[in-house]
Amino acid sequence: MTEDAATLENLFKHIYPKRHPDIELLPIEDLCKLAEAAEKYEVFGVMNICKMRMKELVKDHPKEAFDYASRHGYHDILSMAAPLLVDIPLSKMAPTLSPHLIGPWLSYQEHWSLEAEKVMLAQRKGICDNCRCGVMGFPDVGFYERWCALGRKRSRKVLQELRAVAFKVQHCGKKNSGDFLSAADLDKALDAIPAFDTFL
């Protein structure tokens, strides 16, 4: 056995015929250990509750959820976590990425990048070429240019934050906030990107 005593104790507590402990109280590190032990020993009830809990924690712990799902073939969790990880370079993803997922991950990142580029180019139309009043906090730098200065990060969070700043910018009248992609349209464009599991 490679599991530590605390992990095995947690596993046994979910096997004994008595009220089980609340898995929601487990820190993410302990949840990951419990999930791995449950998968290893095929304790199906614990496997199920760990999977459900991982789904709940994807937003706050996407990397842990993605690593867990990649090891055990949970494509739904992979697709939930992938959009939150697109800004992480392969050099940091690869050490914990299953070899069979490296190709699909690169394809997914590339596809997401192309769609992000389209969104950013659309946002650029909201910059006023007359007075450059669409600057985003940098001297004489527009929306698209600021995105490039940030390294063209492409996660939904980054794009939403940039769009929110753009919406608040005061314009001279030639352009206004209506020229920027709405929050709903931005979400619609990003939601149209195929899920990660379609690249598998």
Side-chain angles (χ1 to χ4, degrees):
M1 289 187 179
T2 57
E3 296 76 23
D4 58 43
T7 299
L8 290 174
E9 183 179 358
N10 271 331
L11 183 63
F12 295 148
K13 285 179 179 178
H14 286 86
I15 297 175
Y16 296 145
K18 62 178 183 179
R19 185 183 294 275
H20 296 166
D22 190 348
I23 198 169
E24 293 183 359
L25 300 178
L26 282 180
I28 185 64
E29 296 82 6
D30 293 338
L31 175 64
C32 290
K33 292 178 181 179
L34 176 62
E36 290 303 317
E39 295 283 344
K40 178 179 178 179
Y41 299 110
E42 296 185 338
V43 184
F44 296 108
V46 183
M47 287 166 58
N48 287 334
I49 62 173
C50 285
K51 182 183 178 184
M52 288 189 290
R53 183 57 179 155
M54 281 291 184
K55 281 186 175 182
E56 295 172 353
L57 295 177
V58 165
K59 186 176 180 180
D60 294 326
H61 301 282
K63 186 63 168 62
E64 291 87 347
F66 190 91
D67 291 344
Y68 156 78
S70 70
R71 284 191 293 273
H72 305 296
Y74 295 132
H75 293 179
D76 52 343
I77 297 180
L78 287 174
S79 292
M80 292 170 64
L84 305 174
L85 301 171
V86 291
D87 286 334
I88 298 179
L90 181 61
S91 60
K92 292 186 178 180
M93 287 290 292
T96 56
L97 198 63
S98 299
H100 73 282
L101 292 180
I102 293 179
W105 178 254
L106 290 173
S107 297
Y108 177 76
Q109 266 195 331
E110 181 181 13
H111 193 86
W112 188 285
S113 295
L114 291 173
E115 293 303 315
E117 181 89 14
K118 292 178 184 177
V119 170
M120 292 297 98
L121 286 172
Q123 298 282 50
R124 192 179 193 181
K125 296 176 182 179
I127 300 299
C128 176
D129 293 325
N130 180 55
C131 69
R132 301 293 289 174
C133 61
V135 297
M136 310 303 296
F138 296 168
D140 197 35
V141 175
F143 187 89
Y144 178 84
E145 289 79 3
R146 185 183 187 193
W147 179 60
C148 291
L150 291 174
R152 296 193 179 192
K153 291 185 177 180
R154 52 206 176 273
S155 68
R156 182 184 296 265
K157 180 181 179 181
V158 169
L159 301 187
Q160 287 175 333
E161 289 176 351
L162 283 175
R163 192 223 143 264
V165 173
F167 191 80
K168 295 177 182 179
V169 172
Q170 296 299 315
H171 294 264
C172 68
K174 287 187 175 291
K175 294 283 184 181
N176 56 53
S177 58
D179 292 307
F180 290 97
L181 207 62
S182 70
D185 286 340
L186 175 58
D187 282 335
K188 183 178 180 181
L190 298 179
D191 288 340
I193 297 175
F196 177 72
D197 62 1
T198 64
F199 292 83
L200 298 175

